[in-house]
Amino acid sequence: MTDVEDRKPQSDEARMAFAPPAGVEVGDSESETTSEFALPKGLGVPQPPSPEPEGSAFSTPSGYSVEDASPAFTPATGIPRISLTKDLPWQDRMRTMLRMPVAERPAPERMPKAEEEGPAVPRVLDLTLRIGELLLAGGEGAEDVEAAMFAVCRSYGLDRCEPNVTFTLLSISYQPSLVDDPVSASRTVRRRGTDYTRLAAVYQLVDDLSDPESHISLEEAYGRLAEIRRNRHPYPTWVLTGASGLLAGAASVLVGGDVIVFIAAMLGAMLGDRLAWLCAGRGLPEFYQFTVAAMPPAAIGVALTLAHVDVKASAVITGGLFALLPGRALVAGVQDGLTGFYITAAARLLEVMYFFVGIVVGVLVVLYFGVNLGAGPDPDAALNISERPYWQIGASMLLSLTFAVLLQQERSTVLAVTLNGGVAWVVYGALHYVGELSPVASTAVAAGLVGLFGQLMARYRFASALPYTTAAIGPLLPGSATYFGLLSIAQNKVDAGLVSLATAASLAMAIAIGVNLGSEISRMFLRIGSPEKRRAAKRTRGF
């Protein structure tokens, strides 16, 4: 192509009015079109280093780290110092922080675990719920179950967690920070079983997890929990049946029975226990199991009266009632109410009421037929209980021992709870028979000592207090007052019967409140290694 051809003018399609004239150089960075709103050349505006997607008020700010985050705020009274050392039982340490608002709780120390990156939050919550399920199903109080769940979460670094326990439902919520979404999980308790050996094993697991010197991985904790679930009961069925009979026989001696009464009460309780097991195998609810179990001792007592055997037939029925009265559930229900868990307390007390009504129905059916057949034991016999201190002390210790076997306690705790039950009856006898104090006041004082000694033993062994207190209150249960109230109702003496049943209810409440008060006194004055006082839950006085 020649130079002349290069200088030929281009067509209008190839050349526009906005094209720069020939000889004008245009830089590569300048756009072909400009605007009056365009920034002048050389003027720089600071730009963000990298564009970020649009967030919301709930998104995590950039540069935020949960580990390096400071507390949300400092209260006006300051953040209280909480001792987290092994000088105190983990129950007291966790209960102290549970009664504090979330923002005031001290953050847990970062402890190295077996996992390098830490366990997954859902698995920690699942382990926590499984441990709480075993404790709640074993009869532990709601506050102690929450303390155990809180201890498990903190052992794996989950500080912002809120456990919640009701009668049949456990739930827990964990929020990593104020700007992160919470993670919640729940579990339903459908079956309950009394096994204090398993309860003690769960407490030992929680104690090991909360120990800052032990580093138990999540897999190891799951393995130990599976072993606890697989463990068989320490006592076979025939031992439990024999213990039920011996318990009824010992209770009959407490209310003035002799050898014949002892044997009759033992046979009646063993027969009732077998009938209750048969009903349980058929899938009948516990209400009917209690109803059926209460009939054989009442029937044997009525039969002895009809046969004109010179024995105290009322003691046979009273001994059979001792083996059925739900003292464990009653104490747990009152304890939940005193510690502020009113929904759980109401559910437990409603369960106790159903069991008690089942016992009433079973005994009243037999007594009704017995009264119509001419077998009418004298209700005034309740006032003629002979005082036999040595026999009654021995009977009370035997009753506590057999009660501990029925609760499936560890063999190492049976001796301690047996002595505790003997001391409880000595205190009750000294106050009631010698000091002529009212039965309700005497029972409350004796139950208070039971709770105090049980809490001391629990602190010494870093275990639950239930194995040391539940069986020891057996001699104090209101079996005789319950029986004579039912007998008066069967004889159409409703007013006298209701008074006697009200006395039985008062004795039961005195036992429950006394046990709880003894435990609280031990926590209040027997602080070990820490001058801090446990903060109680604030109440609103009804508004």
Side-chain angles (χ1 to χ4, degrees), residues 213-234:
E213 298 179 359
S214 64
H215 309 305
I216 301 177
S217 66
L218 195 62
E219 297 302 328
E220 293 174 349
Y222 265 110
R224 289 183 56 178
L225 189 62
E227 291 179 1
I228 293 173
R229 284 182 173 273
R230 287 195 300 263
N231 282 346
R232 297 177 61 87
H233 298 308

Side-chain angles (χ1 to χ4, degrees), residues 284-292 353-355 357-359 361:
L284 289 179
E286 286 184 300
F287 176 86
Y288 301 104
Q289 297 176 27
F290 274 81
T291 302
V292 172
M353 187 192 72
Y354 271 102
F355 291 162
V357 171
I359 298 171
V361 171

Side-chain angles (χ1 to χ4, degrees), residues 271-281 288-290 292-293 324:
L271 181 58
D273 181 75
R274 288 293 86 198
L275 290 177
W277 276 99
L278 179 62
C279 293
Y288 301 104
Q289 297 176 27
F290 274 81
V292 172
L324 298 176

Side-chain angles (χ1 to χ4, degrees), residues 18 59 72 144 152 172 174 192 214 280 291 324 336 362 377 432 478 511:
F18 297 100
S59 60
D144 291 328
V152 175
I172 188 168
Y174 169 67
R192 300 178 182 273
S214 64
T291 302
L324 298 176
D336 288 340
H432 179 56
I511 292 173

